[in-house]
Amino acid sequence: LWSKNTSYSPGSGYVVYSTCSILIEENEDVIEYALRKRDCKIVPLGVDQGVNGFLSYRGKKFTADMKHARRLYPHTHNMDGFFICKLQKLSNAKKTVKKPDLSDDSTSESDENSESNENLT
């Protein structure tokens, strides 16, 4: 959604991400993904209803700016569960995330093959 809709607008702008879900995987995790992949930031929503977005959950840490997101719960706010977060697009730039280098230069491929063949005998 972010890739398709925001790449058409020049420069900055805003995206309000909202779900009718209270699941971390559909809310804070999605926002964290957008922050890692795109040049954007969380900004205040201007809504006082609900409670702040999670800063941590079961050992997972989220950005401190997640406090600007809002969570609404059926049992306390007398409505369906919702999550709302406002992101400011700073540019069209995509962030690149480096993958860890899993290669080990000290071991050659032939050494690995000979070790695995030794284990077969």
Side-chain angles (χ1 to χ4, degrees):
L1 182 67
W2 180 271
S3 298
K4 289 184 179 184
N5 292 322
T6 62
S7 60
Y8 298 117
S9 64
S12 65
Y14 294 93
V15 172
V16 174
Y17 179 79
S18 178
T19 66
C20 55
S21 168
I22 57 172
L23 296 175
I24 301 290
E25 297 82 6
E26 294 179 353
N27 299 315
E28 285 87 352
D29 280 348
V30 172
I31 297 300
E32 287 287 336
Y33 179 83
L35 294 172
R36 280 193 317 271
K37 294 288 189 172
R38 297 294 178 161
D39 188 18
C40 64
K41 67 179 183 177
I42 299 173
V43 295
L45 189 59
V47 174
D48 292 333
Q49 286 82 10
V51 297
N52 295 346
F54 288 132
L55 301 181
S56 65
Y57 182 79
R58 292 190 177 181
K60 242 183 205 181
K61 302 283 185 200
F62 301 109
T63 179
D65 287 337
M66 200 67 73
K67 67 184 176 197
H68 298 302
R70 306 304 293 169
R71 295 180 137 269
L72 294 111
Y73 296 107
H75 63 286
T76 56
H77 300 107
N78 198 28
M79 61 177 67
D80 289 343
F82 287 98
F83 175 87
I84 310 165
C85 186
K86 185 176 180 182
L87 297 167
Q88 181 180 9
K89 177 183 164 187
L90 303 173
S91 75
N92 284 329
K94 291 183 182 180
K95 294 180 182 176
T96 56
V97 178
K98 290 186 178 182
K99 292 183 181 177
D101 184 13
L102 301 177
S103 66
D104 183 6
D105 293 338
S106 65
T107 306
S108 69
E109 187 176 321
S110 61
D111 290 340
E112 291 173 8
N113 288 337
S114 65
E115 287 176 18
S116 62
N117 288 336
E118 289 173 358
N119 292 334
L120 294 175
T121 58

